[in-house]
Amino acid sequence: MGATAVSNAGPDDAHAALDRLLSGPGAVWVVQGPAGSGRSTALAAMAQRGRRSGAAVLPVPAGTEPGAVLLRLATQLAELITALDRTELVSMLSAVAWLRTRLDAGTGGGPLTVAHDLVTVLATLAPRSRIVLQFDDFDLVPPDVAAVLTLVAEGARASGTVTVATALGPDAAGRLVRKLLAIADGTVELRPLTEAETTGLLPSWTTPAGRTTSDPGLVTALRTALGPLFGNPGTVRATVADLRARGRLAVVDEHVCLAGTGLPIVLPASHPLSLRLGRLGPAARRLAAVVAVLGERDTPSIDALPGLAASAGLTLPAAGHGLDELVRAGILHLGREGAVEFTVPALADRLRLEHGARWRDVLHRGITRRTSVGTAEIARHLAELPPSPPDAEAAAALLAEAASAETDLPTACRYRVTALRLLEPADERFPGVLRALLADGLAAGGYGVLADALATVVLPRLGEARLTERLSATTLVCWLAALAHEQRLVELDVVRPLAALVAEAGPLLDAVRGADRTATASAVAEFARACGAEDDDLLSLGAGILLGALPGDGSRLDSAWPVLAGVPPREDVSEAADVLDSVSVLQVVLPGRYRPPSTGFTAGWHAVRQAYRDGEWDTALSLARRLEGERLWWEPPRRHRFASVLAAEICAQRDEPDRAADWLRRLPFQTSAGAYVAWVRCRLRLSAGQHAEAVERGWQDYVACRERGARAGLERLLGRLLRAAREQADAPAADRLLAELEGLAVRRPTVPVREASLVYGGLARGDLESVRAGVELARQSGDAFRVAEACAAFGELSPVPGPWLLEAHRTLKRLDAVATLASVEDLLDRRRITVPPDRADRTGLDPLERHIAGLVASGRTNRQIAAALRVSEKRVEARLTSLFERTGCQSRVELAAAWLQGRLGTAAAV
């Protein structure tokens, strides 16, 4: 075994160990590590630095032809002799040419003969040029070739030649690798990169300048797709390059984001794992493709090997041998309960794309024709097939499994959609299956899937289907509900063929198109009575979802709801309704009956708003970037842009005006979020010191929004303007704004409007009790930023301001809302209130703070820390300032010393 061992080495450790070889005597070293540890990257970095230092680096990877390694080595030696251009080496060039001829013809001689010839050449060249031999993936080289390379490494060491080979970790080392280890002078045992290390390297691969931060969504997607290879820098770099070449990387809000998140991330064809699969026999390759295609939805188990073998056209022994090869090569592994899984999901996605839809259909159809396959498995594969002629027997199998208690709702929906395709429209089962599909689709939260199924499967069969008027009415209402829920009312005309078959449907469509909740509720009630469906619970549920998802005046939701939903909302949901967060609305007004979606635009917007309200602003920004990346990729129908406005407000609060302006530029010319846009622009002008212009332009924007009917956020805009006018002692503007805010509270007495009137109106009037009541409403809203603003207002008036201003200060600091934080700090200074350090935090920082302290102690710059944390450098500076205050440290040196001495918590926690 080697005399020197560098264990658990990261990239820096490996580079330092290998760089020392460039200036030392001849040596043999082995770099080991599991898949994902970056062995090839370590060699590439050494080669780059070796060439810069004047060494001749000869990389000879196993590549696609491991058996040709010796020929490639001889070729590189010939090229080196030619480059040296020395007269005395002419005879050596002839000897190498003769060796190449013999190797190419397969008559090179025994291992000792070939090794002797190569060592002779290296010993002749070594005095004239420093030579470094690199044998990547040594464990893949055939035994006879590996024996020669081992002899060459040992023999050339005496002449000063450095040999570095890579192989899998010690646990996977074969007999030939152990022979090389026996003569090695040292080993490096690599570990995979940590997530922070990989994330820190991503910017250098995603954009030419290498300074653009990666969005957490991109990091998560890469980690999921690459699995254990996410710690392999070469793999991540190649995958990112492939994504960039496909146009799937977009810069949004100064972050590199993944566009088209519904598309898979595939492993590049040139990746060593892809090449390793290509070197396996045809049986193993075919078996891998079958596992990839059939495992798209349900992971196969080892018990299903006979079925996999049949699908691959293999005998059971051949399939077993192929599976062993795939596991040994690291392509597949056996998971829990014998699950046969791909080690790297991105490789499975590559195989699915390479084999195409036709081969996929052939596999699924072949399984459905086997007599040994049970009904449950047949149903799974029938649901994956494209449309086919009617087949009553197949439809019966699908319906039986859809009704099974062991089938989850989304799967039952897929089975019923496929069954509807396979049934004749006149089949007596068709109406019952349609109704069950409506119920399951709403119960599963699959609104987009339901809308698409009705358009593609049911609509073409309306002419022959025997639907009662009652069922047609229920179908129409549920269809409208699905479209409204998914913000797809631009597709309203698609339902007209169904509406034409039902009485009184015209007024309903007109009301929905006009986004009038009260009119829609009345129209639905009249429609249900005309079709005899007043007591249909499914129609009632669809009507409830339709009303809750319909754009319109949220303050009128209460008056519209009781018509069909039975009871009015238990709490105010007007704000959620105004900003089209239908998930929040329906969770309140249809408790127990409404199922939120897990994917899609509606789910994404709800997640953005919830993260913003909870004070998880970094998460909110990442989610907003994902929505914007999807819009850039798919160009969906025009939807609202409230997420972009919230992202702009976060950036404005963090004193990043360029980012905020970029978010605002992404908005359409006019939007229902107009008042929110004006609210953000007011903040930007105030931060720029344009106080008078902020109030005047803000008032003009308010009047324009009011006249245009853009109601969402008017109270927020007025509250910010009123506070600004008060701070600059503009009494006429303050009086005008106060009168308008109080008038708005009379016209639209919703909870958010009353809160703004109590907080900002009370502040303007000096009414402490009014502001106190506003603080309580703000707490009930759950919006962390609004609570902080309300506490700041109460602290400004209170005779005991300390607790209120300090609470506002803590919250705003946690949010990094430096724009509003500045005014709170000014109030604290004027009241001579000192912000006490949190002594508990000096000895027990939270994980993020420990991470930052550890990075500072390791010598990272602010830019490097920003890349590791996926935030801007300004935010790192703000975090460091906070850390200095909390820990009592006066500089980075003191912070690093305190960390290394264990005075800030456990270093291992980083």
Side-chain angles (χ1 to χ4, degrees), residues 78 150 226 251 265 271 278 282 290 330 361 463 475 507 527 550-551 565 602 692 706 713 721 731 737 759 767 899:
T150 302
L226 297 178
V251 177
I265 295 177
H271 188 271
V290 168
D361 295 342
T475 303
F527 177 67
L550 201 63
T602 300
R706 183 187 62 189
L721 292 173
L737 291 163
V759 172
D767 186 345
W899 172 256

Side-chain angles (χ1 to χ4, degrees), residues 32 41 46 63 133 171 214 257 259 354-355 444 494 515 598 618 653 692 716 720 766 771 808 838 876 906:
Q32 294 180 284
T41 302
M46 179 192 184
L133 301 179
D171 296 338
S214 301
C257 303
E354 284 179 348
H355 284 77
V494 75
S598 57
D618 290 332
Q653 287 293 337
R716 292 198 180 193
R720 181 164 286 176
V771 180
D838 191 338
V876 171
T906 305

Side-chain angles (χ1 to χ4, degrees), residues 379 396-405 407-408 411-416 440:
L398 286 161
L399 294 176
E401 287 305 312
S404 171
T407 305
D408 59 69
T411 304
C413 286
R414 284 196 299 114
Y415 287 177
R416 289 197 166 99
D440 285 353

Side-chain angles (χ1 to χ4, degrees), residues 241-446:
D242 184 63
L243 291 173
R244 189 170 62 241
R246 295 170 183 268
R248 293 194 56 199
L249 296 183
V251 177
V252 179
D253 184 34
E254 300 181 9
H255 286 71
V256 179
C257 303
L258 181 66
T261 53
L263 298 175
I265 295 177
V266 299
L267 197 67
S270 59
H271 188 271
L273 196 61
S274 300
L275 299 177
R276 185 175 295 181
L277 175 60
R279 288 193 294 269
L280 298 179
R285 292 198 301 270
R286 195 156 60 246
L287 183 63
V290 168
V291 172
V293 172
L294 299 185
E296 189 171 6
R297 289 190 185 272
D298 300 305
T299 303
S301 71
I302 192 67
D303 296 333
L305 185 58
L308 296 174
S311 296
L314 303 173
T315 64
L316 187 57
H321 178 69
L323 180 61
D324 289 341
E325 283 189 302
L326 291 167
V327 171
R328 192 179 304 113
I331 307 295
L332 299 178
H333 73 277
L334 298 181
R336 296 179 58 185
E337 300 180 358
V340 181
E341 302 171 326
F342 271 80
T343 305
V344 180
L347 179 55
D349 284 319
R350 164 161 289 283
L351 292 177
R352 293 183 193 116
L353 291 177
E354 284 179 348
H355 284 77
R358 183 176 178 182
W359 195 69
R360 172 184 178 276
D361 295 342
V362 168
L363 283 181
H364 287 295
R365 197 175 300 281
I367 294 174
T368 64
R369 292 172 178 168
R370 290 185 204 148
T371 56
S372 60
V373 177
T375 305
E377 188 171 354
I378 287 178
R380 282 201 300 272
H381 296 284
L382 282 173
E384 300 299 326
L385 293 174
S388 60
D391 187 335
E393 184 178 353
L398 286 161
L399 294 176
E401 287 305 312
S404 171
E406 298 179 359
T407 305
D408 59 69
L409 283 175
T411 304
C413 286
R414 284 196 299 114
Y415 287 177
R416 289 197 166 99
V417 169
T418 308
L420 285 175
R421 286 198 184 104
L422 295 173
L423 287 174
E424 294 283 2
D427 192 298
E428 61 182 8
R429 291 173 293 177
F430 194 93
V433 177
L434 174 57
R435 183 175 178 85
L437 173 62
L438 296 174
D440 285 353
L442 297 182

Side-chain angles (χ1 to χ4, degrees), residues 853 856-857 883-884 887-904:
V856 170
L883 265 175
F884 291 153
T887 60
C889 298
Q890 301 299 314
S891 66
R892 296 170 70 95
V893 174
E894 289 187 19
L895 182 64
W899 172 256
L900 295 173
Q901 294 167 11
R903 292 187 278 117
L904 302 181

